[in-house]
Amino acid sequence: NTIHIFHHLMDQTTKASGRAGPEHDEEFVDILEERRRSSDLGHALRTFNPHPYRGAPPCSTADLNKAVLESQYLRYVIAMETGSSEEDVREEARGILEEMSQNLQLRFIRLMGYTLTKVFKRLFTGIFVNMEGLATLQQAIQEAPVILMPNHRSYVDFLVISYILFTYDIPVPVIAAGIPLAGMKMVGEILRRSGAFFIRRAIGSDKLYWAVLSEYVKTIVRKGYAPMEFYVEGLRSRTLKSVTPKLGMMHMVLEPYFKSEVFDITLVPVSISYDRVLEESLLAHELLGVPKPKESTAGLLKAGKVLQEDYGTMHVNFGRPLSVRQLCQGKINRCQYNSAPRSKNLPQKPTEEAQACVSWLAHLMVRIQDEGSVISPWSLMACLLLQAPMAVLAEEGLPWERLAERTLWLRRLALDCGAGLNWPGQTPDSDVMSSAVALHRSVVYRRAGRVYLLQQEEPARKRPISPEEAVMRIATAVLMLASYRNQSLHVFARPALLATALHITKSTQRDELFACFCFLQDVFSYEFILVPGELSQDFEEACVLLEKCGAVHISQQEVTLSDMGLEALSFLRALIQPFIDSYQVMFRYLSEEGDPVLTEKQLVPAVRNRATKLILSGELRTYEALSSDTLKNALSALQRLEAVTKLRT
Amino acid sequence: MENVVQRLLKCSTSTFFQLHIVNCTGLGEEGVKAAVATSRLERGKLRRRTRAAVETGVGHREPGPRTRRCPQIAFCPAFCDPDSLPPRVGWIAAGALASIPTPAAHGSAPSIHKHGSSMASNSSSSGGSDRQRIAQQRLRIIAGHLQRPAGDDSALLAAECKDQGSKSDASSEEKTVPRRRQEIMKWNGWGYSDSRFLFNKKGQAEFTGKRYKLSGMIIPGLKEWFEGTFGANLQHKSPATPILNSSAVRPPTLNEAFVEELKSTGVPFSHDAEDRVFRAYGHCVHEIFALREGRIGRVPDLVVWPNCHNDVVKIVELACKHNVCLIPYGGGTSVSSALECPSEETRSIVSLDTSQMNRILWIDEKNLTAHVEAGIVGQDLERLLNESGYCTGHEPDSMEFSSLGGWVATRASGMKKNIYGNIEDLVVHIKMVTPRGVIEKSCQGPRMSTGPDVHHFILGSEGTLGVVTEVTMKIRPMPEYQKYGSVVFPNFEQGVACLREVAKQRCAPASIRLMDNEQFKFGHALKPQVSSIFTSFLDGLKKIYITKFKGFDPNRLCVATLLFEGNREKVLQHEKQVYDIAAKFGGLAAGEDNGQRGYMLTFVIAYLRDLGMDYYVMGESFETSVPWDRVLDICQNVKARIVHECKERGVQFTPLSTCRVTQTYDAGACVYFYFGFNYRGLSDPVHVYEQVEHAAREEILANGGSLSHHHGVGKLRKEWMSETVSNVGIGMLKSVKDYVDPNNIFGNRNLF
């Protein structure tokens, strides 16, 4: 049954995202085109006439906040707080809400609209939006509370959905944001009035904070106050790869349905894809241990120079609205909440069933975001470039012809695997690839028929660079390249795991392969986000895709290699190899390290040092082992597999 | 004197009925209530007048000839004490009075009967003044009760059982519920054959017959509402099979030995096809729909009409002896498939129709109880008690046709339960015949601590354990004053909040119901034609006031209907209290008419369903009870689910999906859902209907609603019983069943 629903869903999302195929370009409309033709001010001052949720009367921000503070639930929690007087606790709750709450105002949406038009026109050649998705969204918003669930790859996404919805007369969302944004002078307040509400990062066991937050979120959902936008991944992916979803917010959002406080909730996954991400080098540095600059207004203004560059296009793909009611059928027994009064569910931990359902849904959303994302030719090229030895790529370069040929081959493979490619049909293929490289001149450059990895020159060097520094310089470019590869990783993840399993086991037996597939998935569960509990479907899918690419033959019991498929299989294996290598560095470090107790803070730099040495000695090929993200994922995986434990001090 | 009283009564009662006609206060379940309401007012005045007449010394009564057959009279044993005063008339003349049809239907005042007076002469030995005093006292009571037969203060021993055989046939014709129900009731629809809605040649809706307030009236707004709500079209008709085709009924499987022995008991029975079909169904959509199409499934093989408790004992004994399946039948108003013959039943099925066990055996005025045979239908019970100045106050929406035994067997609830209580609060003593023998308590103590209350095995047993034959019920003096009222709220949320507050303050009127916006509109569509321009002008003004001046959104506002009962001052005080609470929730008093019309809707809606079915519209109502904190959500979610499911199942036009809160309790409320849809173009509309209802029930349960508040489980909701009462609970019920009825003689297979 689940399989059935899932496949049904996949069909639907496939349709909705309109991926793969030449017609895909026709579905997306460049919303900047009109902005370039008409007045920005006119756009900002346009008559905004959205059709809100029909199920409940409109309510003001003040009413919303009042409803939260006066809710039975919060009153109950306040009464349960011990230590200080009830009045003090109430005051504290009010303070929390004040810090948190949004204050959506149309004036500021207009201001935001005006500013963003200016910014977007400068940054992007186009912002492509699927109009059909917008039309269904407009409908869905009237029928049930809508949760917009975009992926988060750049700061730029933060208001882009609001901007699009404003342009198309759809109610603008309230957006869950991290508290640092609120701290930015002026900007924080502008964001708040554009619909952002702010959540502290480390809430821990602050019961009152949890209570205010969850009541705030649930009240918005229950009242259908406005569509709610939040990042199920919880944060901006530093690697452009999907992140294991966070469940807290997801649970809060779904609870009104679980508890039958609303008839249904509509989830709308949104996939935002970039040709080129503004923060690319910042991210790479961060991954290599250079701390992320604190969000500040001054910092934002200084970022002015990034506005001078071209970032290609942005695709915003609104997925098909999904009914939580339909998705949860058979997964949630809503009767379980019937015996407790509605307002007093605090001490009750969510049931295992509910947790599993929330987790499943969250992963499903990530998967649909992945499926809906639009893959650029550059991403395919990045996959291939990364498979070359880096030192060679940096020093000797790769023949352009070879790269172009391989890219076209990979395009075929990607299409077979069902990727949503943004490969302009009208332009000659060579021009497409040339302009992709040109756009990414911050990573590679082309000279005399060869492509080279760019190593950033640091100005005013006083002393010659050390070998370690040289590694870091290459690493910066490699990690940028890896990020762009990651954009298409989800397309190949399943067949690549199978290809690796085929290689490791040297077996043709399905069950053996499946066991290995599961093991790999288990180890790399933080790298490739698969929907939990659906491994056998994933395995089946992998088999089918490999067969479709002509790499294997499938029978009831066996998966046998085909001669035609060696290129594909080795490509797929090589795609995963950096992860395997990086994890091994971590594993080896841990098993060789004498001290059984390490702090996390020390561990990552230590492993990075070890990896640097291994790279220098030629033992390690991949620079991705230097990425803190990869190392942290490896650690998390070990923790999940109970090979290491986290001690709280 | 008697003549004076009688004339007075005649004249006043006819005034009352004239008033009725002028007021268009008609009857039916709704009508009865309306009539009762008015008549109470009238009677209050009359009582004062009569009392005056009595006190001026005309308190002498002459024995007169009987105007009709003398009724069997049962009397309260308490009054047999020879030392006590002659009874404050603890009896009621069941047979004769039961023969008086509903007043409006009759069109004239019921005549007053005189009765034998042996007791009167016995007790008259204590001398002149005493005698006069007693006579006066009696007369006062008599006059006070007005419609009570004025000619007797004696008590005769009740005949053990009513006459059987040819003699009683004549009398049965005069009863509300004859043995041959087909004589007055529809076989494939709701209620009386003479009463139905139709669209006349001008396309206007009218209601036929003379029984109800709405009878003979044009309802101008109904067509537009009907077409607009359901997307129905008067051109597209789906008429019912007009006549029951007896050949479509399978011949009975008779248990010859049983039939032989039954004959010797003298209990009337029949295996006539019509009789059998009439007892084979309740009023679920699927049942009525099949009948309209002339499709008849398994029906009982035999119908028996016991006349008294002992008859039932004999029948049950015979059934056990010959292994015959018995299905008790009361008023036939089941909406839970409870009457459906189980398809897996291979034995001969005998329908035990209690309708002829309809006497009030005694009224005990000291303890305010009445002992009644369980086959009596609600309207007769109330009417007969009213004639003695009493009422039970138990008024389920089906009270025209549903029976006391049925109420007990399903745990029925009455509209005025806020004052009188639900059936479980009203019964003091129950007698039930089971295969193991008769179960009853040894006394009539008002409450006992004697282990689990055995009454609660009977209440809600749905005919699976035995037949309830006699019940002692609490009675109350009739309220002297009744007043309808209504409150308009800007939205349903406010309305629910108000009801909750009313419940919290424990000041609910006899009845308080909150209709949602859709039902408010529906109620509006049922307004009969107003002849006076003034009235329509006033209506217009009201509407403008509410929507324009008060800013209520006509598509959101909703209305609560109220019924107050009791002492006049208290009612007025109570009314003020409730309206004050309502005002806090933005409610505006909207007049008595709206209130009254709201209650009328309850009684005609079943007839309206038949009209719908004539035009491809199918509908049903179902109910639940739910804690206060879930009322709003359950209403919203179940309504949405219905719309959603219809869409999923290819219903073209958005269905009518509406609800109302019909009862308030300390800890929750009873909610009723109405669901109707246009089924034109669907190949299997009943199946679609059933799927939607099933989904709606799942939604109810998921929202913390109960499986049923008062309709019962029957076979329709069996599948959810174990999750409702837990497996242990089911085990308990089953073990009772196994003990009481090991051979499943009461084999209707309801509940589990």
Side-chain angles (χ1 to χ4, degrees):
Chain A
N1 189 31
T2 328
I3 301 173
H4 175 77
I5 293 175
F6 186 75
H7 280 281
H8 174 72
L9 266 173
M10 289 294 107
D11 288 351
Q12 299 290 345
T13 45
T14 308
K15 254 181 254 164
S17 59
R19 17 166 241 208
E23 68 278 337
H24 133 113
D25 282 321
E26 290 151 37
E27 280 200 13
F28 284 82
V29 169
D30 179 10
I31 61 163
L32 285 187
E33 202 178 306
E34 207 182 317
R35 294 289 75 75
R36 294 207 157 92
R37 278 191 273 113
S38 64
S39 138
D40 295 348
L41 202 60
H43 170 254
L45 297 177
R46 66 190 300 277
T47 322
F48 182 56
N49 193 13
H51 299 286
Y53 174 49
R54 278 192 298 239
C59 115
S60 70
T61 311
D63 288 345
L64 176 72
N65 292 358
K66 194 166 160 234
V68 173
L69 281 176
E70 286 175 4
S71 67
Q72 291 259 330
Y73 175 68
L74 212 57
R75 273 195 233 165
Y76 174 71
V77 175
I78 288 170
M80 296 303 281
E81 283 281 304
T82 47
S84 37
S85 80
E86 201 168 313
E87 200 33 61
D88 289 349
V89 183
R90 200 186 314 283
E91 213 37 59
E92 196 186 335
R94 189 169 293 129
I96 294 173
L97 185 65
E98 212 165 279
E99 171 197 275
M100 181 187 303
S101 62
Q102 54 77 32
N103 185 14
L104 187 58
Q105 292 173 5
L106 186 57
R107 286 178 293 165
F108 282 82
I109 294 293
R110 295 187 188 287
L111 174 66
M112 177 268 310
Y114 183 74
T115 320
L116 287 187
T117 305
K118 296 283 184 210
V119 172
F120 288 155
K121 282 201 292 194
R122 176 159 290 180
L123 291 177
F124 299 110
T125 50
I127 294 179
F128 290 89
V129 179
N130 63 327
M131 287 298 142
E132 208 185 306
L134 274 185
T136 50
L137 174 64
Q138 185 165 41
Q139 200 58 40
I141 280 178
Q142 294 173 51
E143 282 160 15
V146 163
I147 314 299
L148 292 160
M149 302 178 69
N151 51 3
H152 194 14
R153 299 291 174 261
S154 163
Y155 279 129
V156 176
D157 343 299
F158 192 73
L159 284 172
V160 76
I161 291 180
S162 304
Y163 178 79
I164 295 167
L165 299 194
F166 169 68
T167 307
Y168 289 93
D169 269 342
I170 300 173
V172 291
V174 296
I175 311 163
I179 200 85
L181 287 180
M184 294 168 75
K185 271 189 204 96
M186 294 283 291
V187 176
E189 200 48 34
I190 291 173
L191 291 178
R192 194 187 290 278
R193 291 177 187 213
S194 305
F197 65 96
F198 301 100
I199 305 173
R200 292 183 195 162
R201 275 288 173 224
I203 303 171
S205 58
D206 187 343
K207 276 188 193 157
L208 187 64
Y209 192 86
W210 270 115
V212 175
L213 173 61
S214 75
E215 188 59 28
Y216 187 64
V217 168
K218 285 188 267 186
T219 307
I220 291 173
V221 175
R222 275 197 293 257
K223 286 183 176 277
Y225 173 82
M228 179 175 303
E229 179 181 331
F230 80 97
Y231 302 113
V232 70
E233 295 166 305
L235 40 79
R236 194 162 44 98
S237 165
R238 279 12 180 202
T239 58
L240 303 191
K241 181 156 60 69
S242 297
V243 179
T244 306
K246 302 283 181 292
L247 305 183
M249 186 74 177
M250 188 74 180
H251 198 277
M252 286 178 213
V253 158
L254 293 174
E255 208 178 76
Y257 171 73
F258 292 168
K259 295 196 171 160
S260 297
E261 291 166 336
V262 293
F263 179 70
D264 199 356
I265 294 171
T266 303
L267 304 181
V268 179
V270 184
S271 314
I272 303 176
S273 339
Y274 298 87
D275 274 353
R276 187 180 165 209
V277 179
L278 273 77
E279 300 96 325
E280 52 180 16
S281 83
L282 215 59
L283 289 175
H285 282 108
E286 206 181 314
L287 291 173
L288 289 170
V290 180
K292 165 180 102 161
K294 194 175 176 290
E295 286 91 343
S296 72
T297 308
L300 184 74
L301 294 175
K302 272 185 225 154
K305 77 162 194 278
V306 299
L307 296 185
Q308 308 304 322
E309 292 193 37
D310 178 10
Y311 292 91
T313 62
M314 173 184 188
H315 277 78
V316 182
N317 188 359
F318 288 89
R320 192 181 69 103
L322 300 169
S323 150
V324 168
R325 170 173 282 269
Q326 209 182 334
L327 289 167
C328 290
Q329 219 166 31
K331 289 188 182 286
I332 278 288
N333 174 14
R334 286 181 289 151
C335 295
Q336 67 187 302
Y337 301 100
N338 284 347
S339 298
R342 316 213 97 177
S343 50
K344 311 210 167 145
N345 286 335
L346 177 70
Q348 198 183 328
K349 262 195 79 179
T351 59
E352 251 171 59
E353 184 193 43
Q355 278 174 314
C357 183
V358 169
S359 165
W360 175 76
L361 266 176
H363 282 83
L364 183 66
M365 289 306 116
V366 171
R367 171 152 193 197
I368 297 173
Q369 287 169 357
D370 278 347
E371 307 266 343
S373 61
V374 171
I375 290 167
S376 62
W378 169 244
S379 175
L380 299 181
M381 296 170 87
C383 289
L384 294 164
L385 287 169
L386 272 176
Q387 296 190 4
M390 281 308 124
V392 176
L393 187 61
E395 302 306 328
E396 295 161 30
L398 222 62
W400 170 255
E401 288 307 322
R402 175 76 184 132
L403 179 64
E405 181 194 321
R406 289 274 288 159
T407 304
L408 292 178
W409 168 84
L410 187 55
R411 180 176 68 168
R412 176 83 265 134
L413 187 72
L415 287 174
D416 282 345
C417 291
L421 272 188
N422 170 35
W423 193 295
Q426 320 77 308
T427 327
D429 290 341
S430 57
D431 291 359
V432 171
M433 288 180 279
S434 303
S435 59
V437 169
L439 185 66
H440 292 277
R441 56 181 166 271
S442 54
V443 187
V444 292
Y445 61 96
R446 192 172 151 194
R447 187 192 301 149
R450 295 183 87 83
V451 184
Y452 298 86
L453 190 70
L454 181 80
Q455 300 180 59
Q456 275 160 332
E457 295 293 334
E458 279 176 54
R461 286 224 137 264
K462 284 175 189 145
R463 53 188 174 82
I465 38 174
S466 68
E468 285 79 12
E469 279 170 334
V471 168
M472 283 308 189
R473 280 178 58 194
I474 296 183
T476 309
V478 170
L479 291 187
M480 278 159 76
L481 206 51
S483 298
Y484 291 109
R485 172 208 58 197
N486 287 345
Q487 289 181 322
S488 51
L489 200 58
H490 63 90
V491 175
F492 304 113
R494 288 169 193 77
L497 286 172
L498 179 57
T500 309
L502 279 163
H503 183 72
I504 294 172
T505 58
K506 307 272 185 258
S507 166
T508 59
Q509 295 301 307
R510 256 172 186 259
D511 42 356
E512 241 174 288
L513 288 169
F514 180 58
C516 183
F517 181 89
C518 291
F519 167 74
L520 289 171
Q521 199 280 325
D522 224 12
V523 173
F524 295 115
S525 59
Y526 292 90
E527 302 293 347
F528 317 112
I529 312 301
L530 301 189
V531 181
E534 289 177 356
L535 270 180
S536 54
Q537 284 113 281
D538 287 323
F539 179 72
E540 282 313 312
E541 224 175 288
C543 292
V544 170
L545 289 178
L546 279 191
E547 189 179 42
K548 205 169 151 197
C549 310
V552 297
H553 303 294
I554 305 176
S555 71
Q556 201 72 4
Q557 299 295 326
E558 289 189 310
V559 180
T560 44
L561 299 184
S562 105
D563 301 336
M564 312 269 292
L566 291 180
E567 191 181 7
L569 288 174
S570 67
F571 165 79
L572 290 170
R573 272 203 324 273
L575 202 61
I576 289 200
Q577 201 58 47
F579 296 98
I580 297 180
D581 293 345
S582 306
Y583 274 47
Q584 270 171 353
V585 173
M586 171 66 104
F587 298 167
R588 253 196 282 160
Y589 179 84
L590 284 173
S591 47
E592 286 164 14
E593 180 61 41
D595 191 353
V597 180
L598 296 157
T599 68
E600 208 174 336
K601 254 192 187 141
Q602 300 163 338
L603 181 67
V604 171
V607 181
R608 192 181 279 134
N609 277 342
R610 164 74 66 89
T612 312
K613 288 193 183 94
L614 289 171
I615 290 170
L616 285 171
S617 70
E619 281 175 76
L620 179 67
R621 276 186 52 183
T622 178
Y623 284 70
E624 290 180 55
L626 302 172
S627 157
S628 55
D629 186 75
T630 310
L631 297 178
K632 280 178 187 160
N633 283 345
L635 195 62
S636 300
L638 287 174
Q639 204 181 324
R640 205 174 69 87
L641 297 169
E642 291 171 351
V644 300
T645 37
K646 193 168 189 171
L647 303 172
R648 291 187 194 279
T649 48
Chain B
M1 154 64 201
E2 195 204 7
N3 289 338
V4 178
V5 173
Q6 228 183 67
R7 229 184 299 146
L8 184 58
L9 289 179
K10 265 187 179 165
C11 116
S12 53
T13 41
S14 60
T15 321
F16 156 47
F17 285 114
Q18 277 162 19
L19 262 173
H20 255 262
I21 290 154
V22 173
N23 286 347
C24 315
T25 320
L27 293 180
E29 238 179 308
E30 155 67 8
V32 168
K33 227 165 279 169
V36 166
T38 329
S39 73
R40 278 167 198 161
L41 292 177
E42 291 299 318
R43 217 174 289 145
K45 287 178 209 154
L46 279 173
R47 200 175 297 166
R48 284 189 289 278
R49 256 185 281 166
T50 321
R51 200 167 291 159
V54 170
E55 266 148 19
T56 49
V58 250
H60 182 63
R61 175 188 46 77
E62 289 163 357
R66 296 177 184 181
T67 50
R68 282 198 189 177
R69 183 177 71 88
C70 179
Q72 284 93 40
I73 291 166
F75 82 114
C76 172
F79 296 127
C80 291
D81 182 353
D83 294 335
S84 72
L85 282 177
R88 305 236 314 263
V89 206
W91 52 262
I92 191 75
L97 285 170
S99 71
I100 303 166
T102 44
H106 211 257
S108 72
S111 44
I112 301 303
H113 315 302
K114 288 180 289 178
H115 303 283
S117 56
S118 58
M119 193 83 167
S121 51
N122 287 344
S123 61
S124 62
S125 56
S126 40
S129 65
D130 210 10
R131 189 166 147 182
Q132 206 175 355
R133 187 178 55 78
I134 293 162
Q136 280 189 1
Q137 188 190 8
R138 278 176 210 148
L139 265 170
R140 234 185 340 262
I141 293 162
I142 292 164
H145 297 341
L146 270 183
Q147 289 178 338
R148 137 127 12 125
D152 206 291
D153 55 358
S154 65
L156 292 180
L157 261 169
E160 248 301 288
C161 211
K162 277 178 279 190
D163 293 352
Q164 287 164 2
S166 58
K167 263 205 286 176
S168 64
D169 285 344
S171 66
S172 75
E173 282 171 9
E174 296 165 1
K175 289 181 192 124
T176 303
V177 185
R179 258 170 24 201
R180 293 182 57 76
R181 300 174 79 84
Q182 49 271 49
E183 286 162 5
I184 57 163
M185 286 181 214
K186 297 191 191 86
W187 69 281
N188 58 0
W190 178 262
Y192 296 108
S193 307
D194 56 21
S195 302
R196 67 190 207 91
F197 281 98
L198 53 81
F199 287 113
N200 63 24
K201 283 181 184 133
K202 287 189 207 155
Q204 286 172 311
E206 63 177 80
F207 192 54
T208 64
K210 296 196 179 93
R211 291 173 192 269
Y212 296 87
K213 183 179 170 186
L214 217 54
S215 297
M217 292 199 151
I218 299 286
I219 304 116
L222 189 57
K223 175 176 181 267
E224 196 189 326
W225 178 84
F226 183 70
E227 292 186 328
T229 305
F230 296 107
N233 186 325
L234 297 197
Q235 307 306 313
H236 300 144
K237 291 200 74 176
S238 51
T241 312
I243 291 164
L244 171 57
N245 178 6
S246 299
S247 64
V249 183
R250 264 194 296 171
T253 316
L254 295 176
N255 181 318
E256 295 300 338
F258 173 81
V259 176
E260 273 315 301
E261 282 206 55
L262 185 62
K263 261 182 205 159
S264 69
T265 63
V267 179
F269 65 87
S270 157
H271 51 73
D272 167 73
E274 275 193 8
D275 286 335
R276 289 161 53 220
V277 170
F278 257 80
R279 277 138 193 105
Y281 64 87
H283 284 273
C284 292
V285 162
H286 67 268
E287 293 172 307
I288 297 297
F289 192 82
L291 287 175
R292 285 174 62 92
E293 296 202 322
R295 282 186 282 117
I296 292 156
R298 175 87 150 104
V299 306
D301 301 298
L302 197 75
V303 182
V304 284
W305 287 275
N307 276 306
C308 62
H309 170 79
N310 284 348
D311 284 358
V312 175
V313 172
K314 285 180 219 161
I315 295 165
V316 173
E317 271 170 11
L318 289 181
C320 292
K321 185 173 168 192
H322 299 288
N323 195 23
V324 160
C325 172
L326 286 180
I327 297 185
Y329 181 92
T333 55
S334 149
V335 281
S336 59
S337 302
L339 288 167
E340 239 169 56
C341 297
S343 53
E344 63 266 49
E345 184 57 67
T346 52
R347 297 171 294 182
S348 179
I349 298 178
V350 173
S351 174
L352 192 154
D353 182 336
T354 59
S355 64
Q356 307 309 301
M357 297 166 51
N358 56 12
R359 295 170 300 173
I360 294 177
L361 297 176
W362 46 255
I363 292 174
D364 176 346
E365 302 193 327
K366 274 228 166 82
N367 294 311
L368 285 178
T369 53
H371 192 63
V372 189
E373 288 185 311
I376 195 165
V377 294
Q379 59 166 315
D380 287 354
L381 178 61
E382 275 325 272
R383 194 179 65 247
L384 293 174
L385 286 175
N386 286 174
E387 284 162 3
S388 329
Y390 294 105
C391 64
T392 64
H394 184 67
E395 297 181 9
D397 291 356
S398 61
M399 72 175 287
E400 282 176 285
F401 305 105
S402 58
S403 69
L404 171 55
W407 301 337
V408 171
T410 54
R411 297 180 64 91
S413 169
M415 147 179 134
K416 299 196 293 197
K417 72 94 196 152
N418 292 337
I419 293 183
Y420 301 97
N422 287 319
I423 194 71
E424 68 274 18
D425 310 311
L426 284 164
V427 293
V428 176
H429 186 270
I430 306 173
K431 204 190 259 188
M432 177 165 80
V433 181
T434 76
R436 278 276 173 192
V438 175
I439 175 175
E440 63 182 314
K441 290 184 186 173
S442 67
C443 66
Q444 311 243 10
R447 182 181 187 273
M448 301 184 198
S449 172
T450 49
D453 190 341
V454 292
H455 280 175
H456 285 280
F457 290 125
I458 302 171
L459 286 155
S461 60
E462 302 195 3
T464 57
L465 299 176
V467 187
V468 177
T469 54
E470 290 172 15
V471 177
T472 307
M473 264 183 114
K474 294 185 204 169
I475 57 171
R476 298 290 305 164
M478 284 173 64
E480 76 170 47
Y481 188 67
Q482 232 186 0
K483 194 172 181 192
Y484 286 98
S486 64
V487 181
V488 179
F489 291 98
N491 56 49
F492 192 66
E493 290 77 6
Q494 297 273 73
V496 170
C498 173
L499 260 62
R500 204 283 162 264
E501 185 59 28
V502 165
K504 198 190 240 169
Q505 296 193 18
R506 291 207 172 156
C507 65
S511 169
I512 178 163
R513 291 178 165 179
L514 180 73
M515 300 190 267
D516 70 0
N517 183 265
E518 286 294 326
Q519 275 196 35
F520 167 75
K521 289 177 182 163
F522 178 30
H524 234 67
L526 282 175
K527 255 188 180 176
Q529 199 155 35
V530 277
S531 42
S532 133
I533 302 169
F534 183 65
T535 318
S536 55
F537 174 70
L538 268 186
D539 283 347
L541 271 189
K542 264 189 234 162
K543 195 174 161 186
I544 289 169
Y545 176 71
I546 287 174
T547 58
K548 297 286 183 300
F549 189 71
K550 282 287 173 179
F552 284 20
D553 178 350
N555 290 315
R556 291 185 68 84
L557 62 81
C558 75
V559 63
T561 60
L562 310 165
L563 173 60
F564 297 91
E565 243 183 47
N567 162 300
R568 192 168 187 278
E569 276 112 275
K570 280 196 181 133
V571 162
L572 295 178
Q573 207 184 331
H574 192 179
E575 191 186 23
K576 184 175 180 310
Q577 188 186 5
V578 172
Y579 283 132
D580 284 351
I581 295 174
K584 286 189 193 132
F585 296 90
L588 294 174
E592 293 184 58
D593 277 6
N594 278 319
Q596 206 168 346
R597 206 172 37 253
Y599 287 100
M600 170 183 77
L601 213 138
T602 309
F603 301 108
V604 296
I605 194 156
Y607 283 103
L608 270 170
R609 181 170 82 176
D610 292 335
L611 177 73
M613 289 222 201
D614 287 338
Y615 296 92
Y616 290 99
V617 171
M618 186 177 272
E620 182 77 288
S621 61
F622 38 88
E623 41 72 31
T624 187
S625 55
V626 64
W628 279 114
D629 64 350
R630 293 170 182 274
V631 170
L632 279 178
D633 293 335
I634 206 172
C635 290
Q636 163 202 296
N637 291 346
V638 174
K639 288 199 286 184
R641 180 76 181 262
I642 289 171
V643 172
H644 182 79
E645 293 287 333
C646 279
K647 205 169 165 188
E648 294 272 290
R649 293 171 208 293
V651 174
Q652 298 296 316
F653 206 87
T654 310
L656 173 71
S657 174
T658 145
C659 74
R660 65 184 185 199
V661 180
T662 62
Q663 288 292 6
T664 61
Y665 292 87
D666 287 348
C670 169
V671 180
Y672 240 91
F673 295 96
Y674 291 85
F675 155 46
F677 69 104
N678 184 338
Y679 65 83
R680 202 156 171 269
L682 296 178
S683 62
D684 190 353
V686 169
H687 184 61
V688 169
Y689 169 78
E690 285 174 337
Q691 285 179 311
V692 176
E693 191 193 328
H694 191 273
R697 181 58 61 182
E698 301 243 278
E699 194 61 37
I700 286 173
L701 297 176
N703 280 270
S706 65
L707 188 53
S708 170
H709 170 262
H710 61 272
H711 282 173
V713 175
K715 288 179 273 291
L716 195 61
R717 288 177 274 274
K718 252 173 40 157
E719 62 179 290
W720 292 290
M721 257 306 259
S722 62
E723 72 182 71
T724 299
V725 302
S726 81
N727 287 330
V728 176
I730 289 279
M732 281 180 172
L733 296 178
K734 279 189 174 153
S735 62
V736 170
K737 166 81 178 173
D738 287 347
Y739 172 75
V740 172
D741 183 16
N743 297 317
N744 197 26
I745 297 301
F746 288 91
N748 60 18
R749 297 178 197 251
N750 290 338
L751 285 177
F752 44 73

